[in-house]
Amino acid sequence: MKVNRKANRKHQKNYGKYIFSLILLAALLSGCAKASGDENGSETNINNTETADEGDTSSQIVFEGQDIEGNPVSSDIFSTSRLTMVNVWATYCNPCLSEMPELGELAGEYDSETFQIIGIISDALEGGDQKAIDLAADLIEQTGADYPHLLLNASIYHALLTDVSAVPTTFFIDSSGTIVDVAIGAMDKSAWEEKINGLLQKS
């Protein structure tokens, strides 16, 4: 009886992880925001932004996770820079991949104490399918997006992604861990520079 109970508990735990993974994927992979002027002629409202009230500590982001190389990462990373750009992307999302080379350029053009970029791979789960993680790593290398990329887990999902319905979605977070702006859809380098510099001027 004890052996059967132990086996049942293990099965329930694994089943719970599986169900959670499916819920995450269903929630996050429901849409891919298209860059304006894409091949289908559709447009994304890239100015669809929400700005958090300054000083609103209730929206502070707290999480623990790991990057694609297996290194531990927590929300303490926000305190190392005045402004952090958190770009949520997916391996199947062409607008995401199209903007990543220029995001890689931006990451290298600012002092890290002033501005940094972090990616969150919405379809590569921590402890999940290694093929999905390897694919994401290949795409990061191909696009030159040389900045930290985090694997999705429950902590990151609940901290940031519960309302994300399409990728790319980009959060701007200050050094206290508070969201100061959100952008849905892809932008070109000059548009991102304008937004970044404007937010830095306000900080």
Side-chain angles (χ1 to χ4, degrees):
M1 291 292 290
K2 289 183 179 178
V3 174
N4 288 339
R5 286 178 184 171
K6 186 175 181 181
N8 284 339
R9 282 197 299 271
K10 184 176 180 181
H11 175 74
Q12 287 173 348
K13 185 177 180 182
N14 290 337
Y15 183 75
K17 284 183 178 180
Y18 178 72
I19 292 299
F20 177 71
S21 296
L22 290 179
I23 291 170
L24 285 182
L25 289 173
L28 290 172
L29 307 184
S30 59
C32 182
K34 299 183 185 302
S36 60
D38 70 1
E39 64 274 12
N40 295 321
S42 59
E43 294 187 0
T44 295
N45 180 11
I46 60 176
N47 296 315
N48 179 12
T49 59
E50 300 172 4
T51 303
D53 293 334
E54 293 182 15
D56 179 10
T57 57
S58 64
S59 62
Q60 286 183 338
I61 304 304
V62 178
F63 70 83
E64 291 183 352
Q66 68 179 41
D67 66 20
I68 196 167
E69 296 174 350
N71 302 309
V73 180
S74 76
S75 48
D76 291 342
I77 196 170
F78 299 134
S79 67
T80 65
S81 188
R82 282 173 54 201
L83 183 66
T84 300
M85 178 180 186
V86 179
N87 180 253
V88 184
W89 64 281
T91 59
Y92 64 84
C93 172
N94 287 331
C96 301
L97 300 175
S98 295
E99 71 175 352
M100 282 168 61
E102 292 188 336
L103 294 183
E105 292 175 12
L106 284 170
E109 291 174 3
Y110 288 83
D111 182 274
S112 62
E113 293 183 1
T114 301
F115 174 76
Q116 63 181 342
I117 301 178
I118 297 169
I120 295 177
I121 314 161
S122 66
D123 59 338
L125 302 180
E126 184 180 320
D129 181 13
Q130 189 59 45
K131 287 183 180 179
I133 295 172
D134 291 342
L135 172 60
D138 289 343
L139 292 171
I140 291 165
E141 184 176 356
Q142 290 170 22
T143 58
D146 189 20
Y147 44 85
H149 293 266
L150 309 187
L151 300 175
L152 185 61
N153 67 9
S155 178
I156 293 171
Y157 174 75
H158 289 296
L160 264 174
L161 277 64
T162 54
D163 293 326
V164 172
S165 59
V167 286
T169 293
T170 302
F171 298 90
F172 289 91
I173 299 173
D174 67 16
S175 59
S176 71
T178 301
I179 296 172
V180 294
D181 205 350
V182 182
I184 300 171
M187 296 190 194
D188 63 23
K189 185 178 179 181
S190 61
W192 281 128
E193 283 177 326
E194 183 178 351
K195 179 172 283 292
I196 291 162
N197 293 335
L199 290 171
L200 286 171
Q201 286 177 0
K202 293 178 182 178
S203 65

